[in-house]
Amino acid sequence: MPRIIASLVGAAFVFVLAIALFGTAKTAIQDPAPESAEHVFHLHPENIHLPSNGFFGKFDNQQLQRGFQVYKEVCSACHSLKYVAFRDLTKIGYSEPEVKAIANQWVIEQPNINPETGEPATRKNVPSDHFPSPFANEIAARAANNNALPPDLSLMTKAREDGSNYIHALLTGYRAQPAALVKEFPGSKTPQGLHYNPYFANLNIAMPPPLTSDGQVTYSDGTKATKDQMARDVAAFLTWTAEPNLNARHAAGVAAGIFLLIFCFLAWGAYQNVWRDVKH
């Protein structure tokens, strides 16, 4: 008897769920939700084909160093990189003396306590330190950025869909708001203090265009610093900060693939050897 009751209750639950699902589907078909400005005018980033893409991809250290230069001279004024230490830069081709110099000359110093007075103080960065935040706390960050909180960039390419391409598209995507958008959606005019960018989720972003002109950064390797090039390079650098072991992971994957091929060949040879005298 309890089994019959349980079966009836389960069947009733499934029946009610089916009715609800049918009603939802019917409503969606007969009375679809109106399209929003974000749905109509939002653009998806194009593939910028970084060297690290694909199964056999590898980071280009020269590009990563250019990307770090863009971060240092442009992005670090507002965005932190709290999960990256200065000494990690040796993985992208900087020597230890160069890393020491970068850490020591970094504009933002590390918070510290004066051991003699107990008062707050600062000290120079050392290679083992993580990149310091440009702001003392969230309140200071919002006060300096029109109440918007600049996100940490360490894992940004992992936090956003199509991360590397998204970073490049966002940095190069600032433009005037299309007249067609305001005409079709009168209430969608970009608010005062925000900036129109069709690659941002709601089309309006608080961050002003960080890359304003070609040559904003002077690359030490002589590469021409166009806005597109700077956006590509910093996107590559932030791909590395989010996944610094990508080269090793790809190399391990290739080695595992080769091992499996050899193992399959040996297993096939052993099979043939064991059953060679058996007549079919």
Side-chain angles (χ1 to χ4, degrees), residues 51-52 54-61 64 91-92 239-240 243-257:
S52 56
F55 187 76
F56 299 101
K58 290 182 63 178
F59 287 123
D60 178 352
N61 280 354
L64 297 185
K91 298 177 183 178
I92 63 173
T239 301
W240 172 77
E243 194 169 6
N245 297 318
L246 179 141
N247 285 354
R249 181 169 62 80
H250 282 185
V254 171

mmCIF file of all heavy atoms in Angstrom, residues 51-52 54-61 64 91-92 239-240 243-257:
data_model
loop_
_atom_site.group_PDB
_atom_site.id
_atom_site.type_symbol
_atom_site.label_atom_id
_atom_site.label_comp_id
_atom_site.label_asym_id
_atom_site.label_seq_id
_atom_site.Cartn_x
_atom_site.Cartn_y
_atom_site.Cartn_z
ATOM 1 N N PRO A 51 48.966 33.491 -29.718
ATOM 2 C CA PRO A 51 49.844 32.322 -29.856
ATOM 3 C C PRO A 51 49.534 31.212 -28.851
ATOM 4 O O PRO A 51 49.862 30.052 -29.091
ATOM 5 C CB PRO A 51 51.241 32.896 -29.614
ATOM 6 C CG PRO A 51 51.123 34.344 -29.932
ATOM 7 C CD PRO A 51 49.729 34.739 -29.539
ATOM 8 N N SER A 52 48.905 31.576 -27.735
ATOM 9 C CA SER A 52 48.599 30.582 -26.697
ATOM 10 C C SER A 52 47.332 29.795 -26.992
ATOM 11 O O SER A 52 47.002 28.852 -26.264
ATOM 12 C CB SER A 52 48.460 31.268 -25.335
ATOM 13 O OG SER A 52 47.473 32.295 -25.388
ATOM 14 N N GLY A 54 44.700 27.173 -28.753
ATOM 15 C CA GLY A 54 44.815 25.849 -29.358
ATOM 16 C C GLY A 54 45.565 24.857 -28.498
ATOM 17 O O GLY A 54 46.216 25.209 -27.502
ATOM 18 N N PHE A 55 45.501 23.601 -28.930
ATOM 19 C CA PHE A 55 46.096 22.507 -28.157
ATOM 20 C C PHE A 55 47.616 22.640 -28.072
ATOM 21 O O PHE A 55 48.228 22.271 -27.075
ATOM 22 C CB PHE A 55 45.721 21.172 -28.820
ATOM 23 C CG PHE A 55 46.132 19.966 -28.029
ATOM 24 C CD1 PHE A 55 45.424 19.576 -26.909
ATOM 25 C CD2 PHE A 55 47.244 19.220 -28.408
ATOM 26 C CE1 PHE A 55 45.804 18.458 -26.175
ATOM 27 C CE2 PHE A 55 47.625 18.102 -27.671
ATOM 28 C CZ PHE A 55 46.903 17.717 -26.558
ATOM 29 N N PHE A 56 48.237 23.159 -29.139
ATOM 30 C CA PHE A 56 49.695 23.279 -29.163
ATOM 31 C C PHE A 56 50.154 24.710 -28.894
ATOM 32 O O PHE A 56 51.309 25.048 -29.136
ATOM 33 C CB PHE A 56 50.235 22.814 -30.525
ATOM 34 C CG PHE A 56 49.935 21.378 -30.851
ATOM 35 C CD1 PHE A 56 48.901 21.049 -31.701
ATOM 36 C CD2 PHE A 56 50.671 20.355 -30.282
ATOM 37 C CE1 PHE A 56 48.615 19.724 -31.995
ATOM 38 C CE2 PHE A 56 50.396 19.031 -30.562
ATOM 39 C CZ PHE A 56 49.362 18.708 -31.421
ATOM 40 N N GLY A 57 49.252 25.560 -28.392
ATOM 41 C CA GLY A 57 49.584 26.959 -28.176
ATOM 42 C C GLY A 57 50.645 27.178 -27.116
ATOM 43 O O GLY A 57 50.760 26.419 -26.149
ATOM 44 N N LYS A 58 51.442 28.223 -27.307
ATOM 45 C CA LYS A 58 52.474 28.610 -26.345
ATOM 46 C C LYS A 58 52.491 30.126 -26.208
ATOM 47 O O LYS A 58 52.195 30.846 -27.171
ATOM 48 C CB LYS A 58 53.862 28.138 -26.821
ATOM 49 C CG LYS A 58 54.075 26.637 -26.783
ATOM 50 C CD LYS A 58 55.487 26.287 -27.235
ATOM 51 C CE LYS A 58 56.530 26.881 -26.297
ATOM 52 N NZ LYS A 58 57.920 26.517 -26.698
ATOM 53 N N PHE A 59 52.818 30.589 -25.027
ATOM 54 C CA PHE A 59 52.926 32.021 -24.811
ATOM 55 C C PHE A 59 54.138 32.576 -25.554
ATOM 56 O O PHE A 59 55.187 31.936 -25.633
ATOM 57 C CB PHE A 59 53.059 32.347 -23.325
ATOM 58 C CG PHE A 59 51.790 32.170 -22.540
ATOM 59 C CD1 PHE A 59 51.736 31.323 -21.441
ATOM 60 C CD2 PHE A 59 50.646 32.863 -22.892
ATOM 61 C CE1 PHE A 59 50.573 31.164 -20.717
ATOM 62 C CE2 PHE A 59 49.465 32.716 -22.168
ATOM 63 C CZ PHE A 59 49.433 31.859 -21.081
ATOM 64 N N ASP A 60 53.986 33.760 -26.089
ATOM 65 C CA ASP A 60 55.084 34.504 -26.700
ATOM 66 C C ASP A 60 55.593 35.480 -25.642
ATOM 67 O O ASP A 60 54.937 36.478 -25.338
ATOM 68 C CB ASP A 60 54.571 35.247 -27.938
ATOM 69 C CG ASP A 60 55.651 36.101 -28.601
ATOM 70 O OD1 ASP A 60 56.748 36.236 -28.030
ATOM 71 O OD2 ASP A 60 55.379 36.655 -29.688
ATOM 72 N N ASN A 61 56.762 35.196 -25.062
ATOM 73 C CA ASN A 61 57.258 36.009 -23.956
ATOM 74 C C ASN A 61 57.462 37.462 -24.337
ATOM 75 O O ASN A 61 57.258 38.370 -23.514
ATOM 76 C CB ASN A 61 58.572 35.427 -23.422
ATOM 77 C CG ASN A 61 58.341 34.246 -22.500
ATOM 78 O OD1 ASN A 61 57.199 33.925 -22.172
ATOM 79 N ND2 ASN A 61 59.409 33.585 -22.088
ATOM 80 N N LEU A 64 54.125 38.986 -24.073
ATOM 81 C CA LEU A 64 53.730 39.101 -22.671
ATOM 82 C C LEU A 64 54.434 40.268 -22.002
ATOM 83 O O LEU A 64 53.839 40.981 -21.179
ATOM 84 C CB LEU A 64 54.040 37.803 -21.927
ATOM 85 C CG LEU A 64 53.307 36.539 -22.380
ATOM 86 C CD1 LEU A 64 53.643 35.379 -21.462
ATOM 87 C CD2 LEU A 64 51.802 36.762 -22.422
ATOM 88 N N LYS A 91 59.021 34.149 -15.207
ATOM 89 C CA LYS A 91 58.453 33.115 -16.082
ATOM 90 C C LYS A 91 58.163 33.637 -17.481
ATOM 91 O O LYS A 91 57.916 32.850 -18.396
ATOM 92 C CB LYS A 91 57.167 32.563 -15.461
ATOM 93 C CG LYS A 91 57.370 31.890 -14.108
ATOM 94 C CD LYS A 91 56.044 31.439 -13.518
ATOM 95 C CE LYS A 91 56.223 30.826 -12.148
ATOM 96 N NZ LYS A 91 54.919 30.420 -11.535
ATOM 97 N N ILE A 92 58.168 34.956 -17.648
ATOM 98 C CA ILE A 92 57.903 35.509 -18.983
ATOM 99 C C ILE A 92 59.159 36.169 -19.555
ATOM 100 O O ILE A 92 59.065 36.991 -20.475
ATOM 101 C CB ILE A 92 56.726 36.497 -18.973
ATOM 102 C CG1 ILE A 92 57.008 37.717 -18.104
ATOM 103 C CG2 ILE A 92 55.461 35.813 -18.509
ATOM 104 C CD1 ILE A 92 55.920 38.808 -18.217
ATOM 105 N N THR A 239 45.914 36.832 -20.038
ATOM 106 C CA THR A 239 45.704 35.389 -20.229
ATOM 107 C C THR A 239 46.759 34.615 -19.453
ATOM 108 O O THR A 239 46.463 33.598 -18.820
ATOM 109 C CB THR A 239 45.785 35.036 -21.729
ATOM 110 O OG1 THR A 239 44.796 35.778 -22.441
ATOM 111 C CG2 THR A 239 45.543 33.547 -21.950
ATOM 112 N N TRP A 240 47.980 35.127 -19.475
ATOM 113 C CA TRP A 240 49.057 34.481 -18.713
ATOM 114 C C TRP A 240 48.828 34.596 -17.213
ATOM 115 O O TRP A 240 49.032 33.625 -16.474
ATOM 116 C CB TRP A 240 50.407 35.102 -19.080
ATOM 117 C CG TRP A 240 51.512 34.620 -18.193
ATOM 118 C CD1 TRP A 240 52.163 33.419 -18.241
ATOM 119 C CD2 TRP A 240 52.071 35.327 -17.071
ATOM 120 N NE1 TRP A 240 53.091 33.333 -17.225
ATOM 121 C CE2 TRP A 240 53.059 34.487 -16.494
ATOM 122 C CE3 TRP A 240 51.837 36.584 -16.513
ATOM 123 C CZ2 TRP A 240 53.806 34.874 -15.384
ATOM 124 C CZ3 TRP A 240 52.578 36.965 -15.399
ATOM 125 C CH2 TRP A 240 53.556 36.114 -14.852
ATOM 126 N N GLU A 243 46.414 32.007 -16.220
ATOM 127 C CA GLU A 243 46.829 30.618 -16.405
ATOM 128 C C GLU A 243 48.328 30.558 -16.707
ATOM 129 O O GLU A 243 48.745 30.258 -17.823
ATOM 130 C CB GLU A 243 46.033 29.969 -17.537
ATOM 131 C CG GLU A 243 46.155 28.468 -17.560
ATOM 132 C CD GLU A 243 45.160 27.817 -18.513
ATOM 133 O OE1 GLU A 243 44.453 28.541 -19.236
ATOM 134 O OE2 GLU A 243 45.097 26.582 -18.526
ATOM 135 N N PRO A 244 49.162 30.847 -15.694
ATOM 136 C CA PRO A 244 50.613 30.919 -15.925
ATOM 137 C C PRO A 244 51.255 29.586 -16.288
ATOM 138 O O PRO A 244 52.362 29.563 -16.828
ATOM 139 C CB PRO A 244 51.155 31.448 -14.594
ATOM 140 C CG PRO A 244 50.106 31.068 -13.587
ATOM 141 C CD PRO A 244 48.804 31.164 -14.307
ATOM 142 N N ASN A 245 50.578 28.483 -16.006
ATOM 143 C CA ASN A 245 51.149 27.161 -16.297
ATOM 144 C C ASN A 245 50.623 26.571 -17.603
ATOM 145 O O ASN A 245 50.717 25.364 -17.814
ATOM 146 C CB ASN A 245 50.848 26.201 -15.140
ATOM 147 C CG ASN A 245 51.497 26.639 -13.845
ATOM 148 O OD1 ASN A 245 52.650 27.078 -13.839
ATOM 149 N ND2 ASN A 245 50.786 26.538 -12.736
ATOM 150 N N LEU A 246 50.077 27.416 -18.478
ATOM 151 C CA LEU A 246 49.503 26.909 -19.719
ATOM 152 C C LEU A 246 50.532 26.178 -20.572
ATOM 153 O O LEU A 246 50.248 25.116 -21.122
ATOM 154 C CB LEU A 246 48.885 28.073 -20.509
ATOM 155 C CG LEU A 246 48.251 27.722 -21.851
ATOM 156 C CD1 LEU A 246 46.975 28.533 -22.066
ATOM 157 C CD2 LEU A 246 49.216 28.000 -23.009
ATOM 158 N N ASN A 247 51.747 26.715 -20.692
ATOM 159 C CA ASN A 247 52.767 26.042 -21.502
ATOM 160 C C ASN A 247 53.054 24.641 -20.991
ATOM 161 O O ASN A 247 53.143 23.678 -21.767
ATOM 162 C CB ASN A 247 54.060 26.865 -21.507
ATOM 163 C CG ASN A 247 53.972 28.096 -22.394
ATOM 164 O OD1 ASN A 247 52.990 28.280 -23.099
ATOM 165 N ND2 ASN A 247 54.983 28.939 -22.357
ATOM 166 N N ALA A 248 53.199 24.512 -19.663
ATOM 167 C CA ALA A 248 53.480 23.211 -19.073
ATOM 168 C C ALA A 248 52.296 22.260 -19.250
ATOM 169 O O ALA A 248 52.478 21.062 -19.515
ATOM 170 C CB ALA A 248 53.810 23.367 -17.586
ATOM 171 N N ARG A 249 51.088 22.799 -19.145
ATOM 172 C CA ARG A 249 49.899 21.953 -19.314
ATOM 173 C C ARG A 249 49.791 21.439 -20.737
ATOM 174 O O ARG A 249 49.496 20.260 -20.958
ATOM 175 C CB ARG A 249 48.650 22.761 -18.939
ATOM 176 C CG ARG A 249 47.352 21.985 -19.057
ATOM 177 C CD ARG A 249 46.203 22.751 -18.426
ATOM 178 N NE ARG A 249 45.947 24.003 -19.071
ATOM 179 C CZ ARG A 249 45.264 24.139 -20.212
ATOM 180 N NH1 ARG A 249 44.787 23.073 -20.820
ATOM 181 N NH2 ARG A 249 45.057 25.339 -20.724
ATOM 182 N N HIS A 250 50.041 22.316 -21.703
ATOM 183 C CA HIS A 250 49.998 21.878 -23.095
ATOM 184 C C HIS A 250 51.090 20.861 -23.393
ATOM 185 O O HIS A 250 50.866 19.881 -24.112
ATOM 186 C CB HIS A 250 50.138 23.086 -24.020
ATOM 187 C CG HIS A 250 48.875 23.878 -24.145
ATOM 188 N ND1 HIS A 250 48.743 24.937 -25.005
ATOM 189 C CD2 HIS A 250 47.675 23.766 -23.519
ATOM 190 C CE1 HIS A 250 47.523 25.438 -24.914
ATOM 191 N NE2 HIS A 250 46.861 24.758 -24.003
ATOM 192 N N ALA A 251 52.293 21.093 -22.839
ATOM 193 C CA ALA A 251 53.392 20.149 -23.051
ATOM 194 C C ALA A 251 53.059 18.786 -22.444
ATOM 195 O O ALA A 251 53.331 17.734 -23.039
ATOM 196 C CB ALA A 251 54.685 20.694 -22.444
ATOM 197 N N ALA A 252 52.440 18.792 -21.249
ATOM 198 C CA ALA A 252 52.048 17.531 -20.611
ATOM 199 C C ALA A 252 50.975 16.825 -21.437
ATOM 200 O O ALA A 252 50.975 15.592 -21.563
ATOM 201 C CB ALA A 252 51.528 17.801 -19.202
ATOM 202 N N GLY A 253 50.063 17.590 -22.022
ATOM 203 C CA GLY A 253 49.027 17.000 -22.866
ATOM 204 C C GLY A 253 49.604 16.338 -24.101
ATOM 205 O O GLY A 253 49.191 15.244 -24.492
ATOM 206 N N VAL A 254 50.583 17.008 -24.733
ATOM 207 C CA VAL A 254 51.232 16.432 -25.915
ATOM 208 C C VAL A 254 51.979 15.152 -25.531
ATOM 209 O O VAL A 254 51.907 14.132 -26.234
ATOM 210 C CB VAL A 254 52.192 17.458 -26.548
ATOM 211 C CG1 VAL A 254 53.035 16.797 -27.640
ATOM 212 C CG2 VAL A 254 51.407 18.624 -27.124
ATOM 213 N N ALA A 255 52.710 15.208 -24.409
ATOM 214 C CA ALA A 255 53.447 14.025 -23.955
ATOM 215 C C ALA A 255 52.497 12.870 -23.655
ATOM 216 O O ALA A 255 52.775 11.712 -23.995
ATOM 217 C CB ALA A 255 54.272 14.372 -22.713
ATOM 218 N N ALA A 256 51.358 13.168 -23.018
ATOM 219 C CA ALA A 256 50.375 12.129 -22.714
ATOM 220 C C ALA A 256 49.798 11.534 -23.994
ATOM 221 O O ALA A 256 49.602 10.310 -24.102
ATOM 222 C CB ALA A 256 49.257 12.703 -21.849
ATOM 223 N N GLY A 257 49.550 12.378 -24.990
ATOM 224 C CA GLY A 257 49.030 11.888 -26.264
ATOM 225 C C GLY A 257 50.012 10.965 -26.959
ATOM 226 O O GLY A 257 49.629 9.910 -27.488
#
